[in-house]
Amino acid sequence: MAATRYSTSNEIRRQVASPRAKNRENKDTLCRNVLIYGHCRYEDQGCTFNHDQTPKTSSPQADHAKKPFNVESPAFTPSGQLSAVPKKTTLPSQAASAAPFTPRGVGTTTLPQAAEASVFNPAAIREFTPQNYDINNASAKGVAHDAAGLYADPFTTMNSLGTALPAAGQYNMYAGDHTGLAAPTGQYYPQHGAFAPGPLQPAAYHLYQPFGPYRQDLQPWQRATYDFFISPNLREELQKKSFATLQVMPNSGLPQLERWHSLFPLDTHNRKNASAFGYPSWVYKAQNSRTGRHYALRRLEGYRLTNEKAILSVMKEWKKIKNASIVTVHEAFTTREFGDSSLIFAFDYHPLSKTLQEHHLQPPHGNRYRAPAPVPENVLWGYVCQLANALKTIHANKLAARCLEPSKIILTETNRIRLSACSILDVVQFESNTKSLQELQQEDLVKFGRLILSLATLTPPAHLNNVSAALDSMGSKYSANLRDAVAWLIAPPNPGEFKSIESFISGIATHMATYVDLALQDNDDKLSHLAREVENGRYVRILTKLMAIFDRGDLGVMQNWSETGDRYQLKLFRDYVFHRVEADGKPNLDLGHMLTCLNKLDAGADEMVLLTSPDNETVFVVSYRELKQTADRAFNELVKLSKTGAPGANS
Ligand SMILES: Nc1ncnc2c1ncn2[C@@H]1O[C@H](COP(=O)(O)OP(=O)(O)OP(=O)(O)O)[C@@H](O)[C@H]1O
């Protein structure tokens, strides 16, 4: 049967297979056979469906739409495929006057997905598209929040903001002009990368925030004023060094040399000891007449120079050496100012340093009955690493250290040592030396080993007669590793072979790595101290400016200059910052208030401040930015009138 052969639905089959259906209500329904074949064979044989094809007043589409299923039913379209319903993404014009949608409660209304997407689709809504912003170029880095949705992790986007900090020179926080900060290139976003030119708002430069690493985890109530600044120990150490550098001895009887003055003796005893160089040597701190800087001068008493080339050629090589474990030598010269012919070497000055001899091998505080304290193994490894580092540089430059005595190695900070007398023997023995460079370098390694052995056994090198016994005794106090390292250095090389400092360093690589890590940690510590002190520089600068302006009195023809015009505000600001009083008239010395106000002034913050005259007659409401501009103007007036220009300009 044709009808059953082409039918696609059970309903059609049922209809065609039951032409004698008695249901008269079907009269309104158009017969499927008419629809499919154009006519119905059963029309006259009792088919109860409507066979009238003439259109009625209502549209046929409307009729078909009413039917549960017909061939003109719209094709099934998954709701997720928005492309199939593109028109729905635009709101009808009536929507403008529609009442705002107020949800009645969670889950009471479930919109179809397609409709939801058309109502709220952040990807489709791009009402704000900044100028010059290239969407195609917006990488995941710059616009991660767009792709990831509204709740993207803000910290992942911080990486891209990090690149937004202005490069040095682009933005000057002291210039008082923040406009360049937001758009230094005139574009909000550049073409080539998101967020590159500047942060979205000026950074809070008036806030004080030292950064880590934070070693002490103190609670707020445990902190004192000095916690905001450099640690007392470090400050004391630096101040003592500064004091030592400036120390003078007016009646020392020491001469003034051609280009050096204010000589100050550094020797701790006045014994003439010629063991190190063949001549008694003395060390003085001295100031260079040309630069005003301080150096350590080592004088070799009674040395007569026979060959001018000695100084020239040796100094040429040694001045090239730059190493953290070697005291840099700057020049050598001869003089007769001491009443003899002396050879002088000018080295970097390291205030308050001690020799290893003084620190480890002499009885503490001159008490000859008290034995010196043993040197801890980690300290010894530190010395080994530093000396290996020094020798590596020296040997690589085709030189030899030669002077590796405990009395010629100085301790400049805790566990920090430097070779302090390099180059001297090269000059003194310029003509008499018969040894090759290789031999001298081998000797360096043996002296290195003997030095560590001497410190480990607390025996001066000169008294170290039985080396194997000393090595054995070392084994009982220190690790086999350290003992083996020392033994390797002292042992003579196999015939025809040479030991090198490089092979020694490869053997102690793990200890070198440990030392590097400690040095880096120390560096981090110092950097965090430095970050705290940065703020002090700001206070000094702003206070210097203000103090130059305050209470100046008459300036040129203008009487009472600092009290007139805008400058009166500065005077009131000073009272507001430093002369605050409590309700009962007692002084309020809140350091936090003073520092915060000065920082805000220094950064020219937009925050307003209320300034009142002492008689309450005059009140100003000014921003820190305006106050800063006033201070700058007043100070520049002073600079113009002064002969020297801005402070520090000539120093
Ligand atoms: N570059 C330097 N900077 C600062 N102080 C130094 C420097 N070089 C040496 N000194 C200090 O000078 C002092 C004297 O040094 P010196 O080498 O003469 O030691 P010493 O024990 O007197 O040796 P010697 O017995 O051979 O004279 C030591 O305290 C040492 O720390």
mmCIF file of all heavy atoms in Angstrom, residues 30-40 43 50-53:
data_model
loop_
_atom_site.group_PDB
_atom_site.id
_atom_site.type_symbol
_atom_site.label_atom_id
_atom_site.label_comp_id
_atom_site.label_asym_id
_atom_site.label_seq_id
_atom_site.Cartn_x
_atom_site.Cartn_y
_atom_site.Cartn_z
ATOM 1 N N LEU A 30 -7.530 18.644 8.273
ATOM 2 C CA LEU A 30 -7.232 18.360 6.868
ATOM 3 C C LEU A 30 -6.666 16.962 6.733
ATOM 4 O O LEU A 30 -5.791 16.561 7.519
ATOM 5 C CB LEU A 30 -6.209 19.377 6.355
ATOM 6 C CG LEU A 30 -6.012 19.382 4.840
ATOM 7 C CD1 LEU A 30 -7.270 19.830 4.105
ATOM 8 C CD2 LEU A 30 -4.845 20.297 4.475
ATOM 9 N N CYS A 31 -7.191 16.230 5.763
ATOM 10 C CA CYS A 31 -6.749 14.841 5.585
ATOM 11 C C CYS A 31 -5.292 14.803 5.146
ATOM 12 O O CYS A 31 -4.865 15.553 4.281
ATOM 13 C CB CYS A 31 -7.650 14.167 4.556
ATOM 14 S SG CYS A 31 -7.137 12.462 4.245
ATOM 15 N N ARG A 32 -4.544 13.898 5.740
ATOM 16 C CA ARG A 32 -3.131 13.787 5.426
ATOM 17 C C ARG A 32 -2.926 13.325 3.986
ATOM 18 O O ARG A 32 -1.942 13.725 3.351
ATOM 19 C CB ARG A 32 -2.469 12.746 6.325
ATOM 20 C CG ARG A 32 -2.590 13.061 7.738
ATOM 21 C CD ARG A 32 -1.413 13.876 8.165
ATOM 22 N NE ARG A 32 -1.710 14.412 9.460
ATOM 23 C CZ ARG A 32 -1.011 15.330 10.050
ATOM 24 N NH1 ARG A 32 0.039 15.808 9.470
ATOM 25 N NH2 ARG A 32 -1.352 15.781 11.221
ATOM 26 N N ASN A 33 -3.814 12.482 3.530
ATOM 27 C CA ASN A 33 -3.646 11.978 2.166
ATOM 28 C C ASN A 33 -3.746 13.119 1.177
ATOM 29 O O ASN A 33 -3.046 13.133 0.152
ATOM 30 C CB ASN A 33 -4.703 10.917 1.862
ATOM 31 C CG ASN A 33 -4.443 9.655 2.680
ATOM 32 O OD1 ASN A 33 -3.284 9.400 3.029
ATOM 33 N ND2 ASN A 33 -5.492 8.912 3.013
ATOM 34 N N VAL A 34 -4.601 14.083 1.480
ATOM 35 C CA VAL A 34 -4.715 15.275 0.622
ATOM 36 C C VAL A 34 -3.393 16.033 0.655
ATOM 37 O O VAL A 34 -2.867 16.484 -0.356
ATOM 38 C CB VAL A 34 -5.883 16.162 1.086
ATOM 39 C CG1 VAL A 34 -5.887 17.479 0.311
ATOM 40 C CG2 VAL A 34 -7.207 15.446 0.909
ATOM 41 N N LEU A 35 -2.904 16.114 1.864
ATOM 42 C CA LEU A 35 -1.650 16.871 2.018
ATOM 43 C C LEU A 35 -0.493 16.210 1.282
ATOM 44 O O LEU A 35 0.308 16.855 0.611
ATOM 45 C CB LEU A 35 -1.292 16.962 3.498
ATOM 46 C CG LEU A 35 -1.895 18.107 4.275
ATOM 47 C CD1 LEU A 35 -1.575 17.940 5.748
ATOM 48 C CD2 LEU A 35 -1.351 19.421 3.752
ATOM 49 N N ILE A 36 -0.439 14.882 1.402
ATOM 50 C CA ILE A 36 0.705 14.169 0.833
ATOM 51 C C ILE A 36 0.523 13.887 -0.656
ATOM 52 O O ILE A 36 1.414 14.146 -1.455
ATOM 53 C CB ILE A 36 0.928 12.845 1.599
ATOM 54 C CG1 ILE A 36 1.264 13.165 3.069
ATOM 55 C CG2 ILE A 36 2.052 12.015 1.000
ATOM 56 C CD1 ILE A 36 1.216 11.963 3.971
ATOM 57 N N TYR A 37 -0.646 13.366 -0.995
ATOM 58 C CA TYR A 37 -0.827 12.935 -2.406
ATOM 59 C C TYR A 37 -1.691 13.873 -3.228
ATOM 60 O O TYR A 37 -1.895 13.661 -4.415
ATOM 61 C CB TYR A 37 -1.460 11.534 -2.434
ATOM 62 C CG TYR A 37 -0.697 10.544 -1.571
ATOM 63 C CD1 TYR A 37 -1.298 10.028 -0.415
ATOM 64 C CD2 TYR A 37 0.585 10.162 -1.888
ATOM 65 C CE1 TYR A 37 -0.599 9.144 0.383
ATOM 66 C CE2 TYR A 37 1.285 9.273 -1.090
ATOM 67 C CZ TYR A 37 0.695 8.780 0.051
ATOM 68 O OH TYR A 37 1.362 7.917 0.837
ATOM 69 N N GLY A 38 -2.240 14.880 -2.574
ATOM 70 C CA GLY A 38 -3.091 15.817 -3.304
ATOM 71 C C GLY A 38 -4.559 15.403 -3.336
ATOM 72 O O GLY A 38 -5.444 16.207 -3.598
ATOM 73 N N HIS A 39 -4.822 14.137 -3.067
ATOM 74 C CA HIS A 39 -6.205 13.693 -3.004
ATOM 75 C C HIS A 39 -6.274 12.510 -2.054
ATOM 76 O O HIS A 39 -5.236 11.945 -1.688
ATOM 77 C CB HIS A 39 -6.686 13.255 -4.387
ATOM 78 C CG HIS A 39 -6.015 12.014 -4.867
ATOM 79 N ND1 HIS A 39 -4.738 12.026 -5.397
ATOM 80 C CD2 HIS A 39 -6.431 10.719 -4.855
ATOM 81 C CE1 HIS A 39 -4.389 10.785 -5.700
ATOM 82 N NE2 HIS A 39 -5.406 9.959 -5.389
ATOM 83 N N CYS A 40 -7.508 12.173 -1.703
ATOM 84 C CA CYS A 40 -7.685 11.030 -0.804
ATOM 85 C C CYS A 40 -8.613 10.024 -1.486
ATOM 86 O O CYS A 40 -9.737 10.353 -1.863
ATOM 87 C CB CYS A 40 -8.278 11.493 0.523
ATOM 88 S SG CYS A 40 -8.678 10.153 1.642
ATOM 89 N N GLU A 43 -11.942 9.448 0.180
ATOM 90 C CA GLU A 43 -12.800 10.603 0.469
ATOM 91 C C GLU A 43 -14.281 10.204 0.400
ATOM 92 O O GLU A 43 -15.069 10.571 1.274
ATOM 93 C CB GLU A 43 -12.489 11.730 -0.534
ATOM 94 C CG GLU A 43 -13.241 13.014 -0.234
ATOM 95 C CD GLU A 43 -12.861 14.121 -1.209
ATOM 96 O OE1 GLU A 43 -11.907 13.962 -2.021
ATOM 97 O OE2 GLU A 43 -13.520 15.154 -1.153
ATOM 98 N N ASN A 50 -11.212 16.201 6.753
ATOM 99 C CA ASN A 50 -11.601 17.285 5.875
ATOM 100 C C ASN A 50 -10.824 17.178 4.563
ATOM 101 O O ASN A 50 -9.594 17.026 4.577
ATOM 102 C CB ASN A 50 -11.297 18.614 6.566
ATOM 103 C CG ASN A 50 -11.770 19.782 5.738
ATOM 104 O OD1 ASN A 50 -12.422 19.600 4.712
ATOM 105 N ND2 ASN A 50 -11.434 20.966 6.195
ATOM 106 N N HIS A 51 -11.543 17.255 3.443
ATOM 107 C CA HIS A 51 -10.862 17.177 2.142
ATOM 108 C C HIS A 51 -10.996 18.460 1.358
ATOM 109 O O HIS A 51 -10.648 18.505 0.182
ATOM 110 C CB HIS A 51 -11.433 15.987 1.340
ATOM 111 C CG HIS A 51 -11.220 14.684 2.043
ATOM 112 N ND1 HIS A 51 -12.186 14.086 2.844
ATOM 113 C CD2 HIS A 51 -10.142 13.871 2.124
ATOM 114 C CE1 HIS A 51 -11.736 12.975 3.354
ATOM 115 N NE2 HIS A 51 -10.467 12.810 2.942
ATOM 116 N N ASP A 52 -11.443 19.494 2.016
ATOM 117 C CA ASP A 52 -11.627 20.787 1.369
ATOM 118 C C ASP A 52 -10.301 21.565 1.394
ATOM 119 O O ASP A 52 -9.800 21.941 2.445
ATOM 120 C CB ASP A 52 -12.715 21.569 2.117
ATOM 121 C CG ASP A 52 -13.029 22.860 1.412
ATOM 122 O OD1 ASP A 52 -12.487 23.090 0.301
ATOM 123 O OD2 ASP A 52 -13.763 23.658 2.001
ATOM 124 N N GLN A 53 -9.760 21.831 0.211
ATOM 125 C CA GLN A 53 -8.446 22.487 0.177
ATOM 126 C C GLN A 53 -8.532 23.998 -0.002
ATOM 127 O O GLN A 53 -7.495 24.655 -0.022
ATOM 128 C CB GLN A 53 -7.614 21.900 -0.968
ATOM 129 C CG GLN A 53 -7.277 20.464 -0.690
ATOM 130 C CD GLN A 53 -6.307 19.936 -1.718
ATOM 131 O OE1 GLN A 53 -5.242 20.495 -1.894
ATOM 132 N NE2 GLN A 53 -6.701 18.883 -2.410
#
